[in-house]
Amino acid sequence: MLFVLALSAYVTGFFGYLGYLIFHQEIYHKVGHYFFVLGLGIQTFVLLSSFMVTGIMPVENLRETLCFTAWAIALIYVGFNLRFRLMVLGAFVAPLVCGIMIASSLFSGSSAVSPDLLKGVWTFVHITAIFLGDGAFILAACVGIIYLMQERAIKKKQHGFIYHRLPSLEVLDKMGYACVAFGFPMLTFGMIAGFIYAQSVWGKWWSWDPKELWSVVTWLFYAALLHERLTVGWRGKRAAVMAIIGLAVVLITFGVNFFLLGHHTQFTKF
């Protein structure tokens, strides 16, 4: 029931954001954002209450993992919206969150792992930090897409529908960088917590698990992106394109255990 309420609030929020994109009137954004935050609040209550009662991180199967992914993206979006007020971004993020929530409902809710594997402080830190980091990278990719749309409108001097609804390239560039700058330490912290967790559960820090390997690839990718921005000055279109490519790396890391077996395979069973 609460899942349906949260999804309904997210969907209503999406239509509000869509109304702002079409009619360019702030009231649509206000209403949409109210419902989107309501959906986030309901979902947060569900996740927290489940964790408080069972002590288990709510990622026992693919259904819960997708729900947790949607929650992380929504939380990151709402948090960054407080700082940047990038009002058009909701029309890009909300359908993504709704789509992931709907997709999660298609899978079984039966537990696929031993509950003991999802208990403990390091499990909580590992999963929460990794998902929030990925949420920030996904948001950076969304901002990158908007950047390319606005840049194209400016280059072609098409000062019409898209141009007047999107913020300046400078604002988009700053927000994209902020998302990556937030996501990278979260990913780093989550990986360190994961190594400690692996040592405590499986008796070894590293197992050559496909997700472990791709997590390192993801870390190296964003480390290079940040390094090049700070030392060489990668900004603007190049940074936007790299943020979009980074999304592909994140998606491969998320889904690699669908195709290759490893410790994390059990967390994506359906």
Side-chain angles (χ1 to χ4, degrees):
M1 183 62 180
L2 288 176
F3 174 88
V4 174
L5 285 176
L7 178 58
S8 300
Y10 281 141
V11 171
T12 307
F14 164 61
F15 281 111
Y17 293 139
L18 186 63
Y20 171 77
L21 182 65
I22 295 173
F23 301 110
H24 204 202
Q25 294 182 13
E26 193 168 341
I27 183 64
Y28 288 100
H29 183 274
K30 283 185 176 178
V31 174
H33 198 61
Y34 170 79
F35 277 99
F36 192 83
V37 172
L38 177 63
L40 176 62
I42 295 172
Q43 197 180 10
T44 302
F45 171 77
V46 172
L47 294 173
L48 272 180
S49 57
S50 172
F51 180 73
M52 294 297 288
V53 170
T54 64
I56 300 170
M57 286 299 291
V59 290
E60 291 186 77
N61 47 55
L62 185 57
R63 179 191 180 108
E64 291 187 354
T65 301
L66 289 174
C67 274
F68 202 77
T69 302
W71 171 81
I73 296 171
L75 181 64
I76 290 293
Y77 164 66
V78 170
F80 273 84
N81 186 67
L82 292 173
R83 169 68 178 82
F84 289 94
R85 294 282 296 164
L86 193 56
M87 297 171 72
V88 73
L89 188 57
F92 291 80
V93 174
L96 180 62
V97 171
C98 294
I100 295 173
M101 290 282 285
I102 292 171
S104 74
S105 68
L106 302 177
F107 299 103
S108 168
S110 301
S111 177
V113 300
S114 169
D116 291 338
L117 290 176
L118 297 172
K119 292 182 177 179
V121 174
W122 290 114
T123 311
F124 174 83
V125 174
H126 169 59
I127 293 173
T128 304
I130 289 288
F131 276 73
L132 289 179
D134 286 350
F137 294 144
I138 291 170
L139 197 64
C142 291
V143 174
I145 292 170
I146 297 173
Y147 183 98
L148 296 181
M149 292 171 63
Q150 183 69 313
E151 189 201 42
R152 184 173 184 274
I154 292 173
K155 279 189 173 179
K156 294 197 172 187
K157 298 181 179 178
Q158 295 174 338
H159 296 174
F161 181 87
I162 294 295
Y163 176 80
H164 291 294
R165 285 160 175 75
L166 302 185
S168 69
L169 295 179
E170 182 181 1
V171 170
L172 290 167
D173 185 62
K174 284 182 178 178
M175 184 170 180
Y177 170 63
C179 290
V180 174
F182 174 82
F184 183 71
M186 294 300 291
L187 174 63
T188 304
F189 193 39
M191 288 174 64
I192 293 171
F195 294 144
I196 298 173
Y197 166 78
Q199 171 64 25
S200 65
V201 174
W202 294 300
K204 47 188 175 182
W205 306 93
W206 180 264
S207 304
W208 297 101
D209 179 278
K211 195 180 286 293
E212 291 176 352
L213 290 170
W214 272 96
S215 294
V216 173
V217 172
T218 304
W219 188 89
L220 290 173
F221 179 89
Y222 284 102
L225 178 56
L226 287 173
H227 177 269
E228 294 302 297
R229 183 181 182 100
L230 296 173
T231 59
V232 185
W234 275 14
R235 298 175 188 277
K237 183 177 181 179
R238 180 173 293 180
V241 170
M242 291 301 289
I244 295 170
I245 294 174
L247 174 61
V249 179
V250 169
L251 290 177
I252 292 173
T253 304
F254 180 84
V256 67
N257 282 119
F258 289 118
F259 309 102
L260 299 173
L261 296 178
H263 283 318
H264 289 83
T265 301
Q266 55 194 317
F267 300 108
T268 52
K269 282 185 177 178
F270 56 90

